[in-house]
Structures are given as C-alpha cells and as structure tokens.
Amino acid sequence: MRSRSWPPGHWCRILVLLGLFWLRWLVGVWRSNLLPASAREIAVPLSAGQLEPGPTDDPNGTIPYLVHARMLPDYLYAFLGVLPYLQARPPGFGQRSHVYRWDPKPDGLCVYYDAARGQIIQQGIEEVRDEDGTRTFHRFTRYAGPQGIAETPQEELGRFMAPISDGCVLKPQVVYDRTLRKFFAIDWSERTVRQGPPLPDDERHRPVQIRNLWRSPQALDVGVRSASREESHKRSVVAQVLLLERVLVLDASGRIDLLDPQTLELVGVGGALPTPKTLVDVSRSRRLDDITAYTVLPLVRRASAADGEPSYAGLAAAALSREGLALRVEVYDPNGRRVATGDTAIPPHTGWPGGRTPSIPIPSAVAAYSLLPGAQFLTVAKFVLESLHPPVLLLFSHLAGPHLTAAAGCRSLALLPDSFVAMAARRGDTRPAERILLALLYIVPAVFFALFLAWRVDRHGVHTGLPKKTRAAWRMGVLFLGLPAYFTYRLTRPQFALVTCANCGLQRRPDMEKCHRCGTAWVVPELIPPAWRVLGEPEPADERAPTQIPQANPQA
Amino acid sequence: MLTLMRREAYDNIVYLVGLGLVAAMLIVVLISAAFEGMQEDYFLPLGLLTFLLLLGLYALGAAQMYGDRANRISSLLTTQAVTRSRVLAARALVGLLAVLAVLLPVVVTAVVLLWAFLPPLDFYRRLLVEIPLTLALTAFACHSAGLLVGWTTNRIRLLAGAVLLVTAVASLLWIKGFGPDVMAVLLLFIAATLLRTWHTFTSTSL
C-alpha cells in the first residue's frame, strides 16, 4: 500500500501547500491594507543648508527640503515570481543584465559586456566633420578592457572577469571587477581606461552595486522635494548628473562607501542601508537580504557663486522591511554621520472605531500586528495558518529561514522565512538558546495538530486492518508532514467493504483470513449441498435405507 | 502505438484545433506587442490567452479519459492486443505532442521578435530556455491533471477539477516565476499525477 500511495500523493501535497500559501498571502495583503496612508510614508526634513548654499547656522530657518519616502500599496503583488523574474533579467533593464544600454533604433547607442571576449563593447553611429566642413556619419564599435580601448578586439586590452558596472553611461563609466578586485573608469569619449588600486583581499570590501543603488523600485517611492512647494521634485537624476566628485558603492554588508572617480579609491563611508523597525528587533543581525526594497539618493549641494561647483552633501537611504510593513529613512551628512532618521509609525492620538488610541507613536509593523482594527484577528489567523504547515518544514524555516532573501520569502511554498518561527531565529535581542526555545513554543500547536491527524490516520488504519508497518509509516509521515500528508492519506487510502465479525462484533475485512481486530478465523459454515426433497410426498425408500446390494445368486 | 496516438488525436480533434487557434491568437498579440513597444496593456491578454491554453490542455486530457469511461473504449481495446498501459501512454504522448505543437510556433515567433528588437540572443539565452521550458511543463501538468480527473462520469467533478487544478498549477507559475525550482516542482507534479492515473486506469475492472 505504501509504495502505491506515496509517490502519487505528491500532487496532493503540492496542492495543499499551494492552498496554504494563498491563504497566508491573503492574510498578508489584508494586513498591509490595514495601514493608513499616514503610516505608509515618511517625510524627513533635511537640515538647513544641506542642499542650498548660504548661511547654515540659522536654527529657525525654514526647512527647504524633505526626503519623502512611501511604500507603494501593491508591493505584495509585485514580488510574486513572474514580475521580479522579468524585471531582473531582461537586457538593458535588469540588475542581473550585462547590457548597460540598448537603444534599438538604427542610430541608437548600445553598451554591453561581451562575456566571450571579456570586454565591454560600445556600438553606435557618430558624426564626423571632415576638413572641408562636411559632416558624415559612420557606425563605430569600440572594445574596452582593463588595459584600454581599441576599435578592434585585441588580446592586449585584457579581460574583465566578473564586472559590475554602474549601469548608466555617465562620464566616466565606473566598473568594478570582482575577480580583479579593482575599480575601473572607462571614458568612451577620451578613449581611456583608468584603474584604481586593488582592494584588500578580505571580507571587508565586497561591492555589489555602483552609483545607482536600488532594489525593487515597484515597492518604494523615494524622492527629495521642496517643503515650500507641494509638487514632488525628484532630485535623484539631477544629483547623479551633477555629482562628479563622489560615486556611491554599496557593499554586501549594507555599508555605502564613497568612491573617488578620479583616483578610483574608496575614500570613506557615506552611510548604511537602514534597518526598518519590524515586529522583532533584528538590528544586530541585519543583512542586505533582509531588506525587501531600498533606494539611495545622493544629495548634492548646489553651486554657490563663491565656489562655482556642486558638491557632495551626503545621502538619503530608504529601506522597506521583509513583510513590507515598515519603512525607514536615514539621512547622512558628507562625513558619513547620520543626521536624521524617520520610521513609518501610527501617530499618537490617532483614534478609529474599535481600536485603541496610542499616546506615543507606534511603529507601523507593530501596529499592523496588534493595534489596528482587525490586526489581532489577522495575527491569530497567520499563526493558525502557520500551525497547519508541516512541523518539519516549520523547523527548517527556523533554521534556514533567516538565510533566505526577503524577496524569496514572499514566494516560498515550503519554507516560511516570514513566519513567527523564522522571526524567532532573527531576533537580535535574545540568546541562541532562548531563540530555539521560542521557536519550539511556536511549533508546539503544529506538533499537536500533527499528532491529532496521526491519531486519526492510525485509527482509520486499525479500523481498515492496515498492516502495522504501513500504519507506522503513515503515522510518521503525517507527524512530520502534517496536513498535506493527511490529505494524501484521505485521497489514497484503501477502500474496503467491511463486514461484521461473528466473534467480536466489530467491522472486519472479508479478504483476510483472520479478523484484524480479534484474530478469530473466519467461521465459515461447511457448505453441504442440501438434500432435495419434495414436500408432501413420501421419501423414496432408497434415501431412508442404505442401498441394498443385490446378493449374488449362490445358484449362479 | 502510432495507431493509438492517431486515433486519440482524431477523436479529440476539436480540442486540438481550439488549442491551435489560441496559439495563433498568442502569436498575433506577441507581434502587435512587439511593434507597439511591449506596452503594459498587452500583459493582460497575454496572461489570459496563456490561461486559456492551459485550460484547453486540461480539457484535452479530461476529454480523453471521460470519453473512454463513457464509451468503454479501453475495455474494448483490451480485447485486442493492446494493454491499458499502452493506451494511457498514447494519451500522454498525444498531450505532450499537443503541448509542443502549440508552444513551438509561439516560441519561434518570440525568438524572431526578440532578435529583431532586442540585443543579441546571447544576453537572454537563459531566458529563452527557462520561460518556454517552464511553460511547456506547466501545460503538460495541466494535461496530466485532466487525465487524472477525467476518469469519472461526474461532470461536476470535471468542472471543479478544471477550476481548482488549472488555477493551482497556473498560480504555481505566478508564485515562483520561471526557473529550475518551479520546473522541479512541476516535474514532481506531472510524475505523481501520471502515476496516480496509471494506478486508477489499470486497476479498473473491465
């Protein structure tokens, strides 16, 4: 029975996991919709004089600019598989693409990395003026390697092994090679390639993104706007164009380094990606992968009449938490010191029907779990749904969940990186033993539920007379895999028409020699053919008396 | 086997023609999307046509088994030199061929359009392998689900199966996207579904 039921039961298990996923997702969407608009956005004022030239020591001066960040409402749809896949990979758009620019028009400019040659290639059409002043257009292809640029592919140019480029064609294009551990500056118009000193071969420097620092822009909207004007004024593009003296480099640890594009050396720390305030304190164990979305904007101080050049004025970084319920913005000055922060929160004295009125700001993630109307019901629903998950997968969620990326957590069927059990593993304010104990407490309902299901399966197995080994296998399967295994059993269990045992009176299988309940053998009546007789007539004499054997005639 | 497959295709020609029409519509939408610059307006029709394709393949599988159950075709065939395993294999192969026949023209069209409008294929070779392969496996999973549910005389069960299973399989794609992990889940689903169908089909009395 076991060999015939387990493999075909996979389809059932997949369907049950899918059903549980969609229920959890609905609860997540519902919880996200609980947050009022005021708890979805932050406006952090920039200090006077940070962006504008002029006197900066006026404490009563008006706040000229705000860093405004807002979580977009449909982020939970955005992280479901297909869209991130299509956003990450297509050439020219995706972060994983090696096509840095692609204009499909006949005269369009294309810049891409050719892995076979190990060189970055620029193609396009350029205008050439002859000596007599006539203009001609001709198609060009240029090849850039670590050692220089040429019109033809040459071995002397060297090879980029694992490049990360800034993705935009500003002058110069900054490239970091993870194998060579050097920064390069490609100036296509001057046809030069400069390289910086190699980074120390240790774990302290692992650049992952250059200049445009963002992830999942569909979930987060960040900009710098004027406080005096209502209209939003995004300065990021302007800032990138103006900012020639510093290039932002994101490290795998979440640190934001400053690169001097002239010397191609890291000249300091510009700041760090913020850690949003979630339900549990994860500040001690923060990782880049724990952030669902982020955007970093460099701030540029406008040119004054005196110095005439725009200068680097710090940066503003915004990050969205794993479940998308908390957003944090941090502003750093040019020296990398944090000067302002802001978290999404329910403002104090905000009241609503059926809800408590807080006297202090409540972090949005905490409010979405406990304070807002309906939040507690959703928290219980989330916990119940997680308890329906296979206990063994919950245990693995505790062990492996914190190592999964936030985006992967949104589309995980088997492991639950955003579950309470995984949250316990991410807590930074407790010791490992306490985290394990907490996780076990969270798993207890799931274990009891699995025990209940295993008991039901075992009872049915006893009822239908399954062999002991088969029952034990099903018991263990249901105990470890919970509801999916139980549904598999229900759909694949053997069906028998049972009969009443003559000895014990319980139901027994007719195809077994002994009753599986009391062990009694079949009491099968001996099948003797009935004696035929015709009622009302005397029986023939030969049936009442033994057949008379005719005596042999002694005279014969 | 070829005779069995020909017969299966002939008996369910309506579904195959319908699938061909859906594939033709997909190609038309892809071409117009490419010339219009792949606007977001095209995502909805592309998604709906893909869902229709999956539903059509489920219907093909269900019709193959439902027709057998209603008309006792395999009972008749087993009186000849044919086993039920071969009958089921012929049905699965017809489904696989239908998936390939429907998806190949769509993929070829997409490749030609990408070649015309986007950078050299080297940059998205992985995309061109992962997306069609995942779609083909999803389509075949729907056909296998149709084979599983179709062995019934209960029309309500057929309709409920269509809604539940096709939506579930399509949602798997929506949740996980394209790639090796979802392919592994789909392969597991297909294997389990076909095995379950085989158990049911071969153990049914004549």
Side-chain angles (χ1 to χ4, degrees), chain A residues 22 80-81 85 112 411 491, chain B residues 119 123 130 171 174-175 178 196:
Chain A
W22 282 116
L80 283 180
Y85 180 92
Y112 59 92
R411 47 181 183 270
L491 290 175
Chain B
F123 296 116
E130 284 180 349
S171 76
W174 187 248
I175 294 167
F178 308 95
R196 176 80 181 148

Side-chain angles (χ1 to χ4, degrees), chain B residues 15-24 26-27 53 57 95-107 139:
Chain B
Y15 295 96
L16 295 177
V17 171
L19 286 170
L21 282 175
V22 175
L26 259 176
I27 289 171
L53 199 72
L57 281 158
L96 192 61
L97 287 177
V99 169
L100 293 179
V102 166
L103 283 182
L104 266 182
V106 178
V107 173

Side-chain angles (χ1 to χ4, degrees), chain B:
Chain B
M1 181 64 91
L2 276 177
T3 313
L4 280 174
M5 288 169 63
R6 236 188 340 258
R7 186 69 206 180
E8 284 292 331
Y10 182 75
D11 286 347
N12 298 288
I13 193 75
V14 177
Y15 295 96
L16 295 177
V17 171
L19 286 170
L21 282 175
V22 175
M25 284 193 277
L26 259 176
I27 289 171
V28 169
V29 173
L30 274 177
I31 291 172
S32 52
F35 279 97
E36 294 281 330
M38 203 62 198
Q39 308 278 333
E40 283 186 4
D41 304 342
Y42 285 97
F43 288 169
L44 185 65
L46 279 174
L48 281 178
L49 284 172
T50 309
F51 187 76
L52 207 59
L53 199 72
L54 300 180
L55 207 60
L57 281 158
Y58 169 87
L60 172 67
Q64 284 175 307
M65 297 302 273
Y66 185 80
D68 187 349
R69 186 74 187 250
N71 303 321
R72 306 179 70 80
I73 294 167
S74 58
S75 300
L76 172 71
L77 286 175
T78 43
T79 61
Q80 313 292 317
V82 178
T83 60
R84 275 189 157 156
S85 297
R86 286 173 72 87
V87 173
L88 184 64
R91 281 176 192 158
L93 281 175
V94 166
L96 192 61
L97 287 177
V99 169
L100 293 179
V102 166
L103 283 182
L104 266 182
V106 178
V107 173
V108 169
T109 310
V111 168
V112 170
L113 290 171
L114 288 171
W115 176 75
F117 290 99
L118 283 177
L121 294 178
D122 291 350
F123 296 116
Y124 40 86
R125 192 180 289 152
R126 196 173 157 194
L127 236 75
L128 285 178
V129 173
E130 284 180 349
I131 294 178
L133 211 57
T134 312
L135 276 178
L137 284 174
T138 310
F140 191 52
C142 284
H143 179 261
S144 306
L147 289 177
L148 176 72
V149 181
W151 190 247
T152 179
T153 50
N154 189 342
R155 282 169 187 260
I156 294 173
R157 188 177 287 183
L158 270 181
L159 285 174
V163 173
L164 178 72
L165 288 174
V166 176
T167 310
V169 174
S171 76
L172 187 64
L173 202 67
W174 187 248
I175 294 167
K176 306 288 279 184
F178 308 95
D181 50 346
V182 72
M183 281 187 223
V185 176
L186 284 169
L187 278 174
L188 192 67
F189 184 85
I190 291 168
T193 318
L194 286 180
L195 206 57
R196 176 80 181 148
T197 311
W198 180 74
H199 281 158
T200 313
F201 189 55
T202 53
S203 60
T204 306
S205 62
L206 292 173

Side-chain angles (χ1 to χ4, degrees), chain A residues 509-531:
Chain A
R509 280 168 59 171
D511 60 331
M512 296 172 77
E513 287 187 358
K514 290 183 177 178
C515 172
H516 60 269
R517 311 298 283 270
C518 64
T520 311
W522 269 114
V523 184
V524 183
E526 192 179 352
L527 297 176
I528 302 169

